[in-house]
Amino acid sequence: MESKKFLLQEKDIPTAWYNVVADMPRKPRPLLNPVTKEPMKAEDLFPLFSEEVSRQEFNDTDRWIEIPDEVRDMYRIWRPTPLVRARGLEKALDTPAHIYFKNESVSPVGSHKLNSAIPQAYYCKKQGVTNITTETGAGQWGAALSLAARHFGLELAVYMVKVSYHQKPYRRSIMQTYGAEVIASPSMSTKAGRKIITENPHYQGSLGTAISEAVELAMATPNCKYTLGSVLNHVALHQTVIGLEAEKQMEMAGEYPDVVIGCFGGGSNFSGVTFPFMRHNLAGERSTRFIAAEPASCPKLTRGVLQYDFGDEAGYTPLIPMYTLGHNFAPANIHAGGLRYHGAGAVVSQLREDGFIEAVDIPQLETFAAATLFARSEGIIPAPESSHAIATAIREAQKAKEEGTSKVILFNLSGHGLIDMASYDSYIAGDLQNYEVTDEMVQANIASLDKII
Amino acid sequence: MESKKFLLQEKDIPTAWYNVVADMPRKPRPLLNPVTKEPMKAEDLFPLFSEEVSRQEFNDTDRWIEIPDEVRDMYRIWRPTPLVRARGLEKALDTPAHIYFKNESVSPVGSHKLNSAIPQAYYCKKQGVTNITTETGAGQWGAALSLAARHFGLELAVYMVKVSYHQKPYRRSIMQTYGAEVIASPSMSTKAGRKIITENPHYQGSLGTAISEAVELAMATPNCKYTLGSVLNHVALHQTVIGLEAEKQMEMAGEYPDVVIGCFGGGSNFSGVTFPFMRHNLAGERSTRFIAAEPASCPKLTRGVLQYDFGDEAGYTPLIPMYTLGHNFAPANIHAGGLRYHGAGAVVSQLREDGFIEAVDIPQLETFAAATLFARSEGIIPAPESSHAIATAIREAQKAKEEGTSKVILFNLSGHGLIDMASYDSYIAGDLQNYEVTDEMVQANIASLDKII
């Protein structure tokens, strides 16, 4: 039997991140100041973010950006991660397709989020920041940042979306074990939170609301910066270590992917696994397909519009040119909490508009069926988020079987589901359901965008 | 900075297990038939266990036992595992000691237990068995066996100690996601369970009771075998892949351990990490120290007696020559559920009597303090069981600092604690306590042993 895993050594951890913006035929439109609606520059972000990530956010010329030694040192806790040929899944599907997955679930916090948490915390520390804030959905980003903050000696406050705070109490415990403060959002600790609680005392929260609270606290706290786990260019940049490693590993396997798949919330793991492969499409050398796998209950890339919108609910953030369902969109309480976000990052949105990215939306029950099949055939219980990528890979593998063609499929296993077992319980008990987004819901939210710009 | 992780390739996965019994100066005394009290042979175990592990149980001549290809293939899901130089922990302790840990937590079920679950399931399948049973404490063994059983197409029933069934519901969900049936023990489904429930309706269970139930069900079910996750020689044998890999990796690091540490329940991970290094002690080439880290609430190696005793509560199993607290010993409800067992395996017990093994007992609060320090300095949240090994490594590192000597310490990180976050919650909330075992408790239990043989 051929090798199942393709393993790199520590020396193979990338030394630079890949900045796809440098290679894009059409650059994304600029971020706009939320008040003046004027295009923003890196310096305009300095009050909110560390200076270094602010500069990275606007860098559209440097293809490669060096990874600091302090960051690579910490990457070595768990990187490089394995690339796995999913022979068990192939056999279960009886497909001629070759299925590979990049296993980002082996990080100590169980997901890819640490790839960006480390540089973000590092750059804050380097410029003398003492406190940071953030939001988290399912808790993957919050857990990762808690570990990174502890490592660099920063105090961290995390606003965790209320529904996940209760659905996933273990993630809260993980953050607290690393030493972070965790607040269920919406909360009474911010103006944005108070407003929403007053209007709707039973509101279970959203990433958009939690971002508003985290931004507000950062702006009100001395020597404090805000950090974000997805959506923005610099986050996608940091995540490219996934695809850069995977590229070397596919070479070890002697294959090149016909299709690369990532689940899609704001775009962090999707960008991370796809951009390094996409650079060969942008250079005209390859015609690989890239598929973003969204939840059917939050389908911005498949059913939203490309339009300037806020990144948060209260309208504190810069205006971002994004595929969006409207920043007030309240997604259903699916268990893939990390995908419950109304918009896609500017870079992904531009690449989608320009035809480099496909998108599919997957109903919740299909994701859990895929997750269970994957767990039983490959041994790893996947995160509900990652299960969207698995379901999409299965669709592609089944298509290959129907068509009688071979095909090389690569997807990113962004995280494991060991903290999400309550959602598997619900699935086993038959308590889960699909959530439909009606055209009326989308239209109503999108209509409100016209007032923004 | 030097490399942090020492990584092997798949070709380095051991091809044979190391059978320490072949090298022991004094062999362990034989297992005895629980009724006739006569020494047993491999064939006597055939009704209960697969034939191959029955033979392995009594093999005291072959130093190396070949690992079947089907088992190695499945090992490749996650093996080889990393050896890590714990520089973060060293720095936090400001110690001159070099601390290494073998990271068995990277298995898809989060612990070392899969190392033996796979061959046990494989040997059952190979001889045509269709159903298997087992018990589990914290759920690590049950989760591992659920995955292995699914892989080889076996139906599995797991008796899970009641206190853990409620403390660790996610482990139950993991087993169910892989397709196993999970029953809280004691249960009404067996004679042994009914007897205990009738006598004490509030009894929270123990490994000893769960073993009785699993054995009883296996004996009453056609074409069904029983499997055990610790204590017996063949389990220790399978676990030696840990130490065999670690030996190669310490060589890569250019060091040899002065002391090797494992936490201790029945002996599976302790044996796995220590025996391959111990063979050089047995050959007179080295004088490495080996420390078994027990919970203070269940201290068989430090405060029990070496005596024939049953492996289970109801007295169904063979009589085992073991360091024991008495098979009716009811350990306190500590969160390290996998260490709540009254006895040590026959091989470890003999090696302890002959001076090759040291033992320490660690109070619960010290283990969680060590776990939290480890999580914050190395990034990985350890299982409560493994935290006993960490606490012992910390004691040794602090001793090295006091004495101003260098020292190379290796411990086995048997599993991660992501499923055990409720116990961290209790620790953070200040709700955990230490449990003392009084001499009266030990004496009372040990007295009852005199009637056995």
Side-chain angles (χ1 to χ4, degrees), chain B residues 311-379:
Chain B
D312 69 324
E313 195 275 344
Y316 292 156
T317 71
L319 285 162
I320 305 170
M322 46 164 52
Y323 273 93
T324 180
L325 296 165
H327 63 276
N328 291 319
F329 182 78
N333 291 343
I334 56 167
H335 284 272
L339 308 185
R340 296 174 70 252
Y341 186 68
H342 65 278
V347 171
V348 165
S349 292
Q350 187 65 49
L351 288 165
R352 165 114 174 101
E353 189 179 47
D354 293 343
F356 291 99
I357 291 171
E358 303 169 39
V360 293
D361 61 326
I362 315 268
Q364 177 160 263
L365 290 174
E366 183 179 341
T367 67
F368 275 90
T372 304
L373 179 66
F374 183 78
R376 294 180 176 192
S377 56
E378 291 296 324

Side-chain angles (χ1 to χ4, degrees), chain A residues 1-5 9-10 76 79 108 147 170 173-174 177-179 375-376 379 416 418-419 421 425, chain B residues 2-5 9-10 73 76 79 108 147 170 173-174 177-179 375-376 379 416 418-419 421 425:
Chain A
M1 186 173 147
E2 292 162 48
S3 187
K4 188 176 169 58
K5 293 197 302 299
Q9 293 290 320
E10 288 191 346
R76 293 198 290 179
R79 301 210 74 84
L147 171 52
Y170 284 14
S173 313
I174 291 171
T177 297
Y178 288 130
R376 293 180 177 193
H416 66 62
L418 295 181
I419 309 294
M421 293 314 302
D425 267 0
Chain B
E2 294 163 45
S3 188
K4 187 175 168 62
K5 294 198 301 301
Q9 293 292 318
E10 289 193 345
D73 270 357
R76 293 197 290 179
R79 304 208 71 85
L147 171 52
Y170 283 15
S173 314
I174 291 171
T177 297
Y178 287 130
R376 294 180 176 192
H416 66 62
L418 295 180
I419 308 297
M421 292 315 301
D425 267 358

Side-chain angles (χ1 to χ4, degrees), chain B residues 259-274:
Chain B
V259 51
V260 184
I261 299 163
C263 66
F264 199 93
S268 75
N269 97 90
F270 173 79
S271 305
V273 71
T274 59

Side-chain angles (χ1 to χ4, degrees), chain B residues 129-388:
Chain B
V129 167
T130 54
N131 294 55
I132 58 177
T133 72
T134 200
E135 77 296 324
T136 196
Q140 297 271 30
W141 167 248
L145 193 66
S146 299
L147 171 52
R150 168 61 47 182
H151 183 84
F152 292 111
L154 300 166
E155 293 303 318
L156 167 65
V158 182
Y159 286 93
M160 184 173 188
V161 176
K162 197 171 274 178
V163 61
S164 292
Y165 187 91
H166 295 297
Q167 265 180 356
K168 302 179 199 285
Y170 283 15
R171 282 243 174 69
R172 168 181 54 70
S173 314
I174 291 171
M175 294 185 254
Q176 289 168 335
T177 297
Y178 287 130
E181 180 184 343
V182 187
I183 310 108
S185 167
S187 77
M188 296 294 284
S189 68
T190 64
K191 219 173 76 180
R194 282 193 294 275
K195 180 165 177 292
I196 290 172
I197 286 181
T198 308
E199 288 168 6
N200 180 357
H202 302 296
Y203 185 53
Q204 287 300 295
S206 72
L207 276 165
T209 303
I211 293 172
S212 296
E213 295 206 275
V215 167
E216 191 182 319
L217 182 66
M219 299 303 284
T221 306
N223 206 16
C224 182
K225 298 293 170 194
Y226 166 71
T227 63
L228 182 65
S230 192
V231 183
L232 293 176
N233 303 358
H234 66 269
V235 183
L237 174 76
H238 303 154
Q239 292 293 352
T240 58
V241 289
I242 303 171
L244 291 167
E245 286 182 7
E247 200 186 354
K248 287 186 206 175
Q249 290 164 310
M250 288 299 307
E251 223 175 284
M252 289 166 73
E255 304 213 80
Y256 195 91
D258 297 304
V259 51
V260 184
I261 299 163
C263 66
F264 199 93
S268 75
N269 97 90
F270 173 79
S271 305
V273 71
T274 59
F275 287 177
F277 291 97
M278 204 179 292
R279 78 180 193 278
H280 303 297
N281 282 32
L282 293 166
E285 304 157 0
R286 294 274 186 182
S287 53
T288 309
R289 294 170 57 210
F290 303 99
I291 309 180
E294 309 190 296
S297 52
C298 200
K300 53 257 176 187
L301 286 174
T302 42
R303 299 177 62 187
V305 291
L306 179 53
Q307 168 67 285
Y308 270 103
D309 196 3
F310 294 109
D312 69 324
E313 195 275 344
Y316 292 156
T317 71
L319 285 162
I320 305 170
M322 46 164 52
Y323 273 93
T324 180
L325 296 165
H327 63 276
N328 291 319
F329 182 78
N333 291 343
I334 56 167
H335 284 272
L339 308 185
R340 296 174 70 252
Y341 186 68
H342 65 278
V347 171
V348 165
S349 292
Q350 187 65 49
L351 288 165
R352 165 114 174 101
E353 189 179 47
D354 293 343
F356 291 99
I357 291 171
E358 303 169 39
V360 293
D361 61 326
I362 315 268
Q364 177 160 263
L365 290 174
E366 183 179 341
T367 67
F368 275 90
T372 304
L373 179 66
F374 183 78
R376 294 180 176 192
S377 56
E378 291 296 324
I380 304 166
I381 296 181
E385 290 81 3
S386 318
S387 305
H388 290 72

